[in-house]
Amino acid sequence: MAQETENNAEGTSQDHSGSHFDLVIRGERVLTSSGIRSREVGVRDGVILAMEPLGNGLQGDRIIELADDETLIPGLVDTHVHVNEPGRTEWEGFASATKAAAAGGVTTILDMPLNSIPPTIDVEALDIKRDVARDQVHVDVGFWGGAVPGNRDKLRGLHDAGAFGFKCFLLHSGVDEFPPLDPDELEEDMRELATFDSVMIVHAEDSRAIDRAPKPDGDDYAKFLASRPRGAENLAIAEVIERARWTGARAHILHLSSSDALPMLRSAKHDGIKLTVETCPHYLTLTAEEIPHGATAFKCCPPIREAGNRELLWQGLEDGTIDFIVSDHSPSTLDLKDLENGDFAVAWGGVASLQLGLSLIWTEARQRGLSLETVVSWMSEKPAQFAGLTGKGRIAPGYDADFSIFAADDAYIVDVTKLHHKNPLTPYNGKPLAGRVRKTYLHGEEIDFTTPRGRLLRRGMAEVG
């Protein structure tokens, strides 16, 4: 494992001028913008200031030597996390969520505006959430605003207060305090966002199609899958595409699960529509065919679909139609998952995976001949670019010194009782995975899971004052 030493040589430990750094990391495997290279990385005041070929002898107060089986990768950026605090902190919370993130190599998360009470639909609610988060986060945290019926006049204020963009639903969100927009309301809100170049991120399932679909019933996953058909997702995505075309606004499709939508997404991008797309580990690593009866830990919306669908999602990632991968970490208490009865009709829909995403995707990707560089790009650089986090997502001079030390060949079996998630429930319990995060660094300091050092981020700014 990586070895850290303190440099106490006389005349150097207190000399921070020239080429002396707070931290130097040396190794044969550093993921740079040009691929994995032998490098020395020099960090001062939480920022990467130097990258030199290995052997150049950069000096620092602390020096870390990577082991032969370790790769230094940029901290991951997860732009889709439901922290649920305040109001539903028993589901998760800023302390537990950010510890889970750090353990999985994630150094920046963006919190979703719903499932907390109050939802983040005005500046007052954003201030409440920031006050709660402050002093208990172990990674950097930013916040999405919400677009709901009747708050159009609040959107610009949220934007000016630093919200990264706005989330909406096109059907019931699962919580009554965050109602959906109809398509015309979506269009009007998008016109508003276009005036200040914000982005609308959309849970795209069509309520009419789902209302007419068969109802979920009991412990049979196939019946639940039939209740959330691909057609409902496809219809809603088509609606978003056209409203983005008409308004010129930026739009983003959340948690794509239907591979049927890929051709129209590809066409929309070709037409120059301002459109981005994400998918999630559960759609890329799980299949409907393998979900047992009553296994409500697997329930999410839109749902995990068939194996053939999964293969096409991977193709969509590889050809660039899908831009990146984020968790959609959406935990709940155990009772809300109806574990006793295993009834998919009443169980809360959401997958808990924040700590596991990198290992999940790496395990699957390496079997497909994909490189670690590609995986990290999908999970770090590209989501950072989408969110406008210009100092995140790469190991390069001028970027934040957010790293993790990743042992790509380490194998382990998921033990839900050892995860930092507040509630011990994930569909991945017992699953063998490749790739282990050994240490994570935020602004050049190792995350110790005791001292919260995370910052609260504003759109376009370094942090909240």
Side-chain angles (χ1 to χ4, degrees), residues 446-463:
E446 183 180 349
I447 296 174
D448 62 8
F449 303 94
T450 300
T451 307
R453 296 193 180 93
R455 303 176 183 180
L456 303 185
L457 305 175
R458 293 181 188 266
R459 172 200 48 80
M461 298 175 63
E463 62 181 296

Side-chain angles (χ1 to χ4, degrees), residues 97-162:
T98 56
K99 286 179 182 179
V106 178
T107 54
T108 303
I109 66 170
L110 296 190
D111 170 64
M112 283 290 158
L114 73 158
N115 299 346
S116 58
I117 302 173
T120 316
I121 57 175
D122 54 40
V123 172
E124 292 76 17
L126 177 59
D127 289 341
I128 290 169
K129 188 168 281 192
R130 282 178 172 150
D131 287 343
V132 170
R134 190 172 285 108
D135 300 326
Q136 64 164 327
V137 296
H138 295 265
V139 302
D140 287 352
V141 178
F143 302 92
W144 293 106
V148 298
N151 84 325
R152 191 169 303 135
D153 62 342
K154 308 290 186 183
L155 302 181
R156 180 59 190 256
L158 276 163
H159 173 80
D160 291 344

Side-chain angles (χ1 to χ4, degrees), residues 353-373:
S353 65
L354 181 55
Q355 186 168 332
L356 301 171
L358 177 57
S359 296
L360 287 165
I361 295 300
W362 174 235
T363 300
E364 190 74 29
R366 72 189 309 189
Q367 296 173 357
R368 298 166 181 274
L370 297 169
S371 68
L372 181 60
E373 297 99 306

Side-chain angles (χ1 to χ4, degrees), residues 50-360:
M51 292 184 66
E52 301 285 347
L54 187 63
N56 277 21
L58 294 181
Q59 292 299 306
D61 295 340
R62 292 172 294 133
I63 297 176
I64 295 170
E65 306 276 356
L66 298 179
D68 291 343
D69 67 337
E70 295 175 336
T71 305
L72 187 71
I73 65 173
L76 304 187
V77 176
D78 191 337
T79 58
H80 195 152
V81 178
H82 294 269
V83 177
N84 306 329
E85 187 176 10
R88 292 190 174 94
T89 309
E90 69 274 15
W91 296 16
E92 194 62 274
F94 285 104
S96 56
T98 56
K99 286 179 182 179
V106 178
T107 54
T108 303
I109 66 170
L110 296 190
D111 170 64
M112 283 290 158
L114 73 158
N115 299 346
S116 58
I117 302 173
T120 316
I121 57 175
D122 54 40
V123 172
E124 292 76 17
L126 177 59
D127 289 341
I128 290 169
K129 188 168 281 192
R130 282 178 172 150
D131 287 343
V132 170
R134 190 172 285 108
D135 300 326
Q136 64 164 327
V137 296
H138 295 265
V139 302
D140 287 352
V141 178
F143 302 92
W144 293 106
V148 298
N151 84 325
R152 191 169 303 135
D153 62 342
K154 308 290 186 183
L155 302 181
R156 180 59 190 256
L158 276 163
H159 173 80
D160 291 344
F164 280 79
F166 298 88
K167 180 176 187 176
C168 73
F169 281 73
L170 297 181
L171 78 172
H172 194 277
S173 69
V175 292
D176 290 339
E177 67 274 5
F178 199 94
L181 301 177
D182 67 34
D184 289 339
E185 290 171 326
L186 169 70
E187 181 180 342
E188 290 306 309
D189 281 2
M190 290 176 72
R191 288 191 190 281
E192 175 69 12
L193 298 190
T195 66
F196 45 89
D197 193 32
S198 190
V199 61
M200 183 69 86
I201 64 175
V202 185
H203 182 124
E205 289 180 285
D206 183 83
S207 60
R208 298 159 298 177
I210 288 177
D211 287 344
R212 297 189 179 204
K215 300 306 176 189
D217 179 33
D219 66 357
D220 186 349
Y221 183 79
K223 292 181 178 179
F224 168 67
L225 182 60
S227 76
R228 313 290 291 216
R230 298 190 200 192
E233 202 173 349
N234 303 336
L235 275 171
I237 289 171
E239 193 83 71
V240 174
I241 288 171
E242 294 313 306
R243 306 289 171 149
R245 190 191 308 274
W246 301 341
T247 63
R250 289 192 288 141
H252 176 73
I253 303 299
L254 296 165
H255 45 50
L256 179 71
S257 89
S258 171
S259 63
D260 293 351
L262 289 168
M264 65 175 155
L265 290 166
R266 194 174 294 120
S267 176
K269 288 187 168 193
H270 179 75
D271 288 348
I273 294 173
K274 299 173 184 175
L275 185 70
T276 48
V277 185
E278 69 181 47
T279 194
C280 307
H282 36 284
Y283 303 127
L284 297 168
T285 65
L286 302 173
T287 63
E289 293 91 338
E290 67 186 4
I291 297 176
H293 281 348
T296 53
F298 291 81
K299 178 182 176 179
C300 56
C301 301
I304 296 158
R305 303 192 189 276
E306 303 85 354
N309 183 86
R310 180 182 67 173
E311 297 310 304
L312 291 171
L313 291 179
W314 277 100
Q315 292 178 26
L317 272 165
E318 292 186 60
D319 70 22
T321 305
I322 301 172
D323 295 275
F324 54 83
I325 304 168
V326 287
S327 70
D328 187 13
H329 177 68
S330 185
S332 71
T333 55
L334 302 187
D335 61 300
L336 288 173
K337 277 293 189 179
D338 193 45
L339 299 176
E340 184 175 346
N341 300 311
D343 188 341
F344 285 100
V346 301
W348 176 258
V351 170
S353 65
L354 181 55
Q355 186 168 332
L356 301 171
L358 177 57
S359 296
L360 287 165

Side-chain angles (χ1 to χ4, degrees), residues 1 163 398 415:
M1 295 180 65
D415 181 348

Side-chain angles (χ1 to χ4, degrees), residues 7 12-22 44 59-61:
N7 188 341
T12 62
S13 63
Q14 300 301 316
D15 179 14
H16 293 281
S17 63
S19 60
H20 194 90
F21 300 94
D22 303 332
R44 190 183 301 136
Q59 292 299 306
D61 295 340

